[in-house]
Amino acid sequence: MSNSSLQQYRNVQAQSALEGVSPHKLISMLLEGLLGNLAAAKGGVERNESSLKGEKLGRAIAIIDNLRASLDLDQGGEVAVNLRDLYDYMEPRLLKANMDNDVAIIDEVVALVRGIKEAWDAIPPDQQAPLEPAGTASPGEAF
């Protein structure tokens, strides 16, 4: 199987796995992925593995970009604005952590993400955005 065929297969598998996932669960999964990438990046710094560190911090920043894009500032009000501001703060901090090989900065961002994830996961099911038919809901509607 060629690389492009394999990648297309993986994309279909990933899309199929996400069908039926609520917007709330999707955001929770993104936050979990963000924490995993930050942990791997920290390990890369500690072991002096520059390529791993750079790759994982790049993925973390991409997840932050996706989280920021999912915000609905009109419906989410002050909470969405505060999350946007946190995401805007985290991204340059991770760039600095990458340049300076600074695990303390990674730890700082991890603490912020953990706080967001704990609050997100504590939202009662009856307060979460309902699952909509495919193509009609976006993760931002949960904010």
Side-chain angles (χ1 to χ4, degrees):
M1 196 179 279
S2 72
N3 279 344
S4 65
S5 297
L6 183 58
Q7 186 58 44
Q8 287 175 338
Y9 176 74
R10 287 182 180 152
N11 289 343
V12 169
Q13 278 188 315
Q15 185 177 14
S16 296
L18 291 178
E19 287 179 15
V21 174
S22 72
H24 182 85
K25 178 66 175 170
L26 182 58
I27 296 299
S28 184
M29 292 167 61
L30 285 170
L31 292 167
E32 190 65 37
L34 177 53
L35 289 170
N37 278 288
L38 291 171
K42 181 178 175 180
V45 171
E46 292 170 340
R47 292 185 304 275
N48 201 27
E49 296 176 11
S50 297
S51 62
L52 175 68
K53 172 199 69 169
E55 175 190 342
K56 297 302 181 177
L57 287 175
R59 286 185 183 178
I61 290 169
I63 292 171
I64 291 169
D65 287 341
N66 282 307
L67 289 165
R68 183 186 304 111
S70 76
L71 295 172
D72 184 334
L73 298 177
D74 294 329
Q75 287 187 335
E78 185 179 347
V79 172
V81 170
N82 289 340
L83 285 169
R84 182 203 58 203
D85 291 347
L86 273 173
Y87 298 145
D88 287 348
Y89 173 78
M90 289 179 200
E91 198 165 307
R93 294 297 288 158
L94 293 179
L95 291 171
K96 182 161 179 52
N98 190 31
M99 289 176 42
D100 297 346
N101 289 318
D102 192 333
V103 295
I105 295 174
I106 296 172
D107 287 339
E108 172 193 0
V109 173
V110 165
L112 293 170
V113 174
R114 279 192 183 135
I116 294 168
K117 184 164 183 352
E118 287 171 7
W120 186 255
D121 290 345
I123 296 172
D126 63 329
Q127 299 290 318
Q128 297 173 14
L131 183 60
E132 300 288 333
T136 62
S138 70
E141 291 176 335
F143 289 102

